Amino acid sequence: MPRSTIAIALILLATAGFAGIGVAADPATLYDLRSGYSPGDAQKVELLLEAKGDLLLREDHAIKKHTLAVGGRMAYEERLIDLGDDTLAGRKGLRNYSQAQATIEIDGHRMQPELTGERRLIGVERQLDGTLFYCPTTLLTRDDLDLLEVPGNSLMVEGLLPNGKVAIGDSWPVTEQVLAALLDLDAVSTHEVKGTLSKVEGTKAKVDIAGTVSGAVAGVATEVEVKAKAVFDLESARLTWVALLTKEKRSIGHVGPGLELTARLQMKVVPAEQPELLADEVLEQLPEAPAPELLQLEFRSDSGYAFAYDRRWHVISQSPESAIFRLVDRGDMVAQANVSLVTATADRPTSLESFRAQVEQSLGKSIEQIVEASEGKTSSELTINKVVAQGKVDGLAVEWHYYLVTGPNGRQVVFAFTMEADAVARLGELDAQMASSIEFAKQGEPTAADPSNAKARG
């Protein structure tokens, strides 16, 4: 699922709001709501989500609505590694998930993605162009990433707090950078979101946040109405509870449906001692920054093969025999990739000449010339044939990159990349990277690429 379904989806566990609160405070008193969450500190986070609405899809030259309902739970220990700057850029953390699962129903059809295995150890880093989630030991899948990319990120939520002391009734603006991080947006164009200290009783300060946000996700416009309540513990200088209500209207994009969705999210945070699985000894064994090859995603087919691909590729459709990907870069649709399983006899694999002829036949009158036809080997010593063709479609200059990878027992996979001629430079080596990383499972084995080969696949 694209992040537009789950990413609006998973969060936050309900908790009692202000149990045990004492006498109301003097409204003239100034309160310091700056967070005491510092590098090395840890916390336990429980999240709960409920979201309902519609997905909007273009079908038969019309826009049709499909009902969407999402429920999700997450629980994890989180350790702050780097505080970052005032815009949250550079903020880093490491999490160990004990639970991360969702139930997604579209027109009554249910899916239940879940984070499992060694992918429960997750690094989180806020960068200038978004929040990076990665596993420091293996590749994530797109479904894993969708589970992780949620609004209300616990590592970023304290950005809602003011930078100085405030009195009851005082308000402060929430920055664009904070809103982009919390709502999982690529960019915020305009907004009118403010925080207000509404009440202080005992050691509990209640903060209200409200406003509207105009932004973009993968180049697609979105409008979000935001209402949130938070409890800040003055004694520990930490946020301990957040409830977030969002109402979003998102346009249909290159790789995701439109949305009309209301999501209710709640988060409970408990400061904790340093968790054993996030102890100094564990961090010392991990690199300071993730290796580039571990930032790719892994695609696994039920037909017995797997490959790695850049995160800018998005799966549009998938069946046991084929899959369609689209490459979106800075909001622009750059290329499409069609991946298909074919079968040849084990003793007579398809030759380069035969593959070239098949490409020419497939493109028909659209083709003008073949500019490359070559044979090579992948990092796993599989034969890979490449054919590059140029031509025109409806008067538009187009380039096609075809790859044929031959695996054991005659199994073959064809990668067909299509793009406008002026987009070839933006594609770069992402096509070769995807095709050459393929691995075939042995007959009778489950489909999954060996995590120890992640670097080789890159």
Side-chain angles (χ1 to χ4, degrees):
M1 293 292 296
R3 72 178 181 177
S4 55
T5 44
I6 307 175
I8 261 193
L10 289 169
I11 290 192
L12 316 157
L13 182 63
T15 182
F18 296 93
I21 291 177
V23 179
D26 183 346
T29 303
L30 292 178
Y31 298 93
D32 191 347
L33 302 189
R34 288 173 293 187
S35 173
Y37 196 25
S38 303
D41 289 348
Q43 58 189 19
K44 293 182 179 181
V45 182
E46 294 178 329
L47 314 167
L48 178 68
L49 161 87
E50 179 183 280
K52 292 183 179 181
D54 294 309
L55 295 179
L56 308 179
L57 297 172
R58 288 193 181 93
E59 300 175 19
D60 300 325
H61 307 290
I63 296 177
K64 296 185 179 180
K65 292 185 177 182
H66 299 267
T67 59
L68 172 67
V70 181
R73 289 180 179 272
M74 302 177 79
Y76 54 85
E77 297 170 319
E78 177 182 84
R79 185 175 178 187
L80 181 62
I81 306 301
D82 193 322
L83 196 59
D85 61 24
D86 291 341
T87 70
L88 303 182
R91 180 167 289 207
K92 301 178 183 179
L94 188 66
R95 296 175 181 173
N96 180 56
Y97 284 78
S98 58
Q99 183 181 31
Q101 60 187 44
T103 298
I104 303 167
E105 290 189 6
I106 300 176
D107 292 341
H109 298 285
R110 177 176 293 190
M111 296 166 285
Q112 293 181 304
E114 182 176 4
L115 200 64
T116 59
E118 64 180 307
R119 292 180 173 90
R120 292 180 180 271
L121 182 66
I122 298 294
V124 186
E125 181 178 343
R126 182 62 187 174
Q127 301 180 331
L128 292 176
D129 57 351
T131 302
L132 175 67
F133 292 86
Y134 64 93
C135 178
T137 59
T138 191
L139 300 185
L140 297 174
T141 67
R142 176 63 67 182
D143 283 347
D144 294 333
L145 195 60
D146 286 342
L147 279 169
L148 296 169
E149 290 183 328
V150 297
N153 191 322
S154 60
L155 194 67
M156 317 294 176
V157 73
E158 289 176 331
L160 294 172
L161 299 172
N163 290 325
K165 295 182 179 181
V166 293
I168 295 173
D170 283 352
S171 296
W172 58 91
V174 180
T175 68
E176 295 177 0
Q177 295 89 343
V178 169
L179 289 170
L182 290 176
L183 299 177
D184 194 32
L185 303 178
D186 293 337
V188 171
S189 53
T190 61
H191 78 90
E192 297 178 355
V193 179
K194 292 183 178 181
T196 303
L197 177 58
S198 60
K199 183 187 297 186
V200 176
E201 294 182 350
T203 62
K204 309 298 182 184
K206 179 180 178 181
V207 174
D208 293 337
I209 298 99
T212 57
V213 179
S214 297
V217 176
V220 178
T222 187
E223 301 285 334
V224 187
E225 180 183 342
V226 179
K227 292 183 180 180
K229 295 181 181 296
V231 177
F232 182 82
D233 184 80
L234 295 167
E235 188 172 19
S236 64
R238 299 282 287 276
L239 275 176
T240 58
W241 182 82
V242 179
L244 176 66
L245 172 68
T246 60
K247 295 182 179 180
E248 180 173 11
K249 291 185 178 181
R250 184 181 302 182
S251 302
I252 299 173
H254 297 301
V255 295
L259 285 176
E260 293 179 355
L261 194 69
T262 298
R264 293 175 175 83
L265 316 168
Q266 293 189 66
M267 173 171 55
K268 179 183 178 181
V269 181
V270 178
E273 297 297 325
Q274 189 179 96
E276 181 179 350
L277 294 177
L278 301 178
D280 291 338
E281 296 77 12
V282 175
L283 269 62
E284 290 171 359
Q285 301 301 316
L286 301 176
E288 291 187 8
E293 58 269 16
L294 285 175
L295 298 184
Q296 298 180 88
L297 299 178
E298 181 183 75
F299 178 84
R300 291 173 287 180
S301 170
D302 292 339
S303 295
Y305 63 88
F307 56 83
Y309 63 98
D310 189 276
R311 295 185 182 209
R312 287 169 288 180
W313 289 106
H314 297 263
V315 181
I316 301 304
S317 66
Q318 179 182 351
S319 71
E321 294 77 25
S322 64
I324 299 175
F325 294 74
R326 286 181 182 166
L327 176 63
V328 176
D329 183 30
R330 297 188 293 275
D332 298 329
M333 219 284 275
V334 177
Q336 179 164 306
N338 290 49
V339 184
S340 305
L341 178 71
V342 296
T343 302
T345 58
D347 57 341
R348 296 184 62 186
T350 305
S351 66
L352 175 60
E353 293 75 15
S354 178
F355 183 50
R356 172 174 175 157
Q358 291 174 12
V359 170
E360 291 177 328
Q361 182 180 10
S362 175
L363 294 178
K365 295 181 178 180
S366 297
I367 193 171
E368 292 183 341
Q369 62 177 335
I370 298 290
V371 297
E372 180 182 346
S374 59
E375 182 177 302
K377 295 287 186 180
T378 70
S379 57
S380 300
E381 292 301 311
L382 301 175
T383 299
I384 180 169
N385 294 332
K386 178 181 180 181
V387 174
V388 177
Q390 294 176 341
K392 288 185 178 180
V393 176
D394 296 329
L396 186 67
V398 176
E399 186 161 303
W400 298 270
H401 295 186
Y402 282 85
Y403 296 84
L404 173 66
V405 185
T406 302
N409 302 314
R411 288 178 292 174
Q412 296 182 317
V413 173
V414 174
F415 295 80
F417 299 87
T418 305
M419 72 228 76
E420 295 182 19
D422 58 5
V424 173
R426 294 183 68 176
L427 176 68
E429 296 297 320
L430 296 182
D431 56 336
Q433 178 189 83
M434 180 189 291
S436 63
S437 70
I438 191 169
E439 295 179 355
F440 291 87
K442 294 180 179 179
Q443 294 290 346
E445 289 186 351
T447 303
D450 184 352
S452 66
N453 291 332
K455 186 171 183 178
R457 292 200 307 274

